Amino acid sequence: RETQEYKSGIKDNFLFGKHDVNRRSKNSECEQGEEPKEKKPRGDNMNKTPAPKPEVSKKKNWEWIESRALSPAQYNLYDKTTTCFVYGLQLKAVQGMLDFDCACRRDVPSVAGIINPFSANHNVRLYFGSKEVNVPVYKNMSEAIQRHPEASVIISFASLRSAYTSTMEMLKYPENIKCIAIIAEGIPENLTKKVNKLAAEKGVSIVGPATVGGVKPGCFKIGNTGGMLDNILNSKLYRPG
C-alpha cells in the first residue's frame, strides 16, 4: 500500500508540477506586460526553406582560369582550311592524311610541310587524289614557320628520346602554332607536366602524349587515325557532322 501511494504521489507531483511550471511561466510573462509566446507546430518549421548560404568569393580562381583560357580564334582548332607540319619523316601517315583530304574535297592538302632534322632541303612526292604534289622537307621549326606561317598544327612523330625537347622548341612559336599532337609513348610524368604547364601559359592545346591522333569528319585528320582509306570511306568519316 505504501508503495502504491508513493508511486501515485510521484505521478501526481510530476503531472501537477509540469502544469504549475507552465502556468508560472505564463504568469511571469503577463506580469512583465508581454503576451505569452505561442508554440508553432513542428510541421511549419519543416516546410521552411533553408536560408541561402553566403557566396564564397572565387575571384582568384576565375582570374587563374581566364589567364589559361584560349582566345576565341583557338576554339575551332580544325576546319577545312587547317594546315599542319608533320615532325618526322612519316610518309605513310602523310599520305593517309592527303587521302582523307581528297575524300573531304578540300581545296588544298592539310600537310604544309615535313620537319626532319636528319635529312632536309628536299621534296617528297605524294598523291593528292590523282595528281602528284611535292611536300617540302625542312630541317628546323623556324625555317618551316617562315615558309608557311599559316600552319597552326604540328603532328609530332618524334621518338621518346627527343619528344620532350622538340615539343619545348615548338612551344616557342605560340603566335603560329595553336595545337601540338604528341604520338610518342613513355614520356616521363614530370616532363609531361612541364609541357602542359608551358602550353597552358601560352594558350597552346596539347593532344597526347601517347595519342593515336584524332579526326574531325569532313575537315582534318591527325596522323594514322581511322586506319586506311577504305575504312574511312566505310565509316563515312569524310562527311562533316
Side-chain angles (χ1 to χ4, degrees), residues 17 32 73 91 97 101 119 123 148 153 158 169 174 178 184 197 235:
Q32 295 176 2
L91 300 182
M97 294 177 65
D101 298 340
S119 62
N123 296 332
H148 305 277
V153 180
E169 181 185 358
K178 303 303 179 185
K197 182 180 178 182
S235 57

Side-chain angles (χ1 to χ4, degrees), residues 17-35:
K18 183 178 179 181
H19 288 295
D20 290 340
V21 170
N22 292 337
R23 186 168 59 251
R24 288 173 185 173
S25 63
K26 291 180 180 179
N27 292 337
S28 62
E29 290 177 357
C30 293
E31 289 175 0
Q32 295 176 2
E34 299 177 356
E35 295 181 357

Side-chain angles (χ1 to χ4, degrees), residues 102-124:
C102 183
C104 296
R105 298 182 179 179
R106 286 179 54 124
D107 297 330
V108 294
S110 60
V111 181
I114 299 173
I115 301 172
N116 187 27
F118 304 103
S119 62
N121 301 324
H122 66 277
N123 296 332
V124 292

Side-chain angles (χ1 to χ4, degrees), residues 11-119:
K11 185 176 180 181
D12 294 340
N13 291 335
F14 174 76
L15 293 175
F16 289 113
K18 183 178 179 181
H19 288 295
D20 290 340
V21 170
N22 292 337
R23 186 168 59 251
R24 288 173 185 173
S25 63
K26 291 180 180 179
N27 292 337
S28 62
E29 290 177 357
C30 293
E31 289 175 0
Q32 295 176 2
E34 299 177 356
E35 295 181 357
K37 297 180 181 179
E38 296 182 0
K39 293 185 177 179
K40 296 182 179 180
R42 189 175 294 178
D44 294 345
N45 296 331
M46 294 175 66
N47 294 331
K48 283 186 177 181
T49 57
K53 295 181 180 180
E55 296 183 358
V56 181
S57 176
K58 296 183 179 181
K59 186 176 180 182
K60 293 183 179 180
N61 294 338
W62 281 112
E63 288 177 353
W64 177 76
I65 293 172
E66 288 176 358
S67 64
R68 300 181 57 183
L70 299 177
S71 64
Q74 298 176 26
Y75 287 130
N76 188 15
L77 292 176
Y78 314 119
D79 54 28
K80 275 198 169 184
T81 61
T82 300
T83 56
C84 71
F85 296 118
V86 175
Y87 191 93
L89 200 61
Q90 298 287 330
L91 300 182
K92 184 178 179 180
V94 175
Q95 183 61 67
M97 294 177 65
L98 297 184
D99 293 339
F100 180 82
D101 298 340
C102 183
C104 296
R105 298 182 179 179
R106 286 179 54 124
D107 297 330
V108 294
S110 60
V111 181
I114 299 173
I115 301 172
N116 187 27
F118 304 103
S119 62

